[in-house]
Amino acid sequence: MSSSLESVIVQSNILFIFINIIICLWLSWVKSTFLFLDCCLECCGCHCCSRRTICVASVVLLCIALTVIGVVLALLLGIPKQPPVNRLCRTEKNGTGFLCDDRVTCIPPSDLCDGVLNCLSGADEDSTMCIDLPIHLPGYLVFRCGNPSNWIFIDQKCNHINDCADCSDEIGTYAACPLSCSMGWWPCSSVEFQYCDCIPHSLCQDGQQHCHDWSDEYICTKIS
């Protein structure tokens, strides 16, 4: 028997026992006073204030019992959750972003859960979302590295930085990055762990080797 089926059976048994207890208590209380129906009939005629009180109390007790049963049902069976809010948007740089509650502000995914309120409502720092990253993040905001246990925010992919520590976010068909380097970057196989197949143009002709083929020192022209 699966664990989920066993859980349902246990919850059903608990609910059945609880309902029986409530019904027994209610019937015992009514029996110890007057017959419920006769009481209500006499109350309608206003013959006896004490019986009217008993009648009202019986109805109140029944309402309480039904309310308790409803609460227990909600706890056992689960309260239906509201559908998740669609947070997908495009940032100013036309990248995938996180939409704030104002439905206007679109922030880069890497600005989420960084301790800074980028959304006025604080939606980007929501404790439920940030408590165990990236489990509670929408999948479109996350990029899984070559090592599945590692992940980065989607806007950190194809930024010429080795964020995955294995260059899987910069090189290969999985990352699907542009073949050419962005403006301000020089194409080469980097000798430094921080970069992959592009280095900042500012590192050219600085007297140090940054490319395996030394092209950063002999071919690349330093931009002043």
Side-chain angles (χ1 to χ4, degrees):
M1 184 179 297
S2 64
S3 58
S4 59
L5 181 58
E6 290 178 352
S7 176
V8 171
I9 293 176
V10 171
Q11 291 178 355
S12 300
N13 289 334
I14 294 175
L15 179 61
F16 178 76
I17 293 172
F18 184 82
I19 292 176
N20 278 312
I21 292 174
I22 292 295
I23 293 176
C24 289
L25 290 175
W26 179 72
L27 291 176
S28 298
W29 189 87
V30 172
K31 184 177 179 181
S32 65
T33 54
F34 295 94
L35 292 176
F36 181 71
L37 182 58
D38 292 341
C39 172
C40 288
L41 289 175
E42 291 193 21
C43 284
C44 292
C46 299
H47 293 309
C48 177
C49 293
S50 61
R51 291 192 176 186
R52 179 186 298 174
T53 303
I54 294 172
C55 179
V56 173
S58 299
V59 174
V60 171
L61 179 61
L62 178 60
C63 292
I64 293 175
L66 292 175
T67 302
V68 172
I69 291 174
V71 172
V72 172
L73 279 172
L75 294 176
L76 293 180
L77 303 180
I79 300 175
K81 297 181 179 180
Q82 294 182 350
V85 179
N86 183 13
R87 299 285 187 181
L88 180 62
C89 62
R90 306 302 295 181
T91 63
E92 294 180 355
K93 296 182 179 180
N94 199 33
T96 301
F98 178 88
L99 186 62
C100 296
D101 288 334
D102 60 8
R103 314 305 294 174
V104 174
T105 307
C106 185
I107 65 174
S110 55
D111 285 344
L112 295 173
C113 306
D114 60 353
V116 179
L117 294 180
N118 298 287
C119 296
L120 292 179
S121 65
D124 57 313
E125 301 297 322
D126 180 73
S127 58
T128 301
M129 178 180 65
C130 299
I131 192 172
D132 193 10
L133 296 175
I135 294 177
H136 300 294
L137 288 176
Y140 53 80
L141 298 179
V142 177
F143 176 83
R144 292 287 181 178
C145 300
N147 180 354
S149 61
N150 296 335
W151 67 277
I152 60 174
F153 288 106
I154 194 66
D155 62 323
Q156 295 174 317
K157 182 175 74 75
C158 304
N159 63 352
H160 304 313
I161 305 297
N162 185 15
D163 296 293
C164 278
D166 60 1
C167 283
S168 59
D169 56 313
E170 301 297 325
I171 301 175
T173 56
Y174 181 57
C177 297
L179 297 178
S180 60
C181 298
S182 303
M183 184 178 295
W185 293 77
W186 175 257
C188 75
S189 177
S190 175
V191 300
E192 298 181 9
F193 178 81
Q194 183 180 1
Y195 307 111
C196 296
D197 58 350
C198 299
I199 65 168
H201 223 288
S202 59
L203 298 180
C204 292
Q205 296 186 2
D206 64 350
Q208 299 181 19
Q209 181 187 9
H210 301 286
C211 299
H212 281 287
D213 59 3
W214 286 90
S215 61
D216 57 306
E217 296 299 317
Y218 296 104
I219 302 177
C220 176
T221 303
K222 190 177 185 65
I223 299 178
S224 57

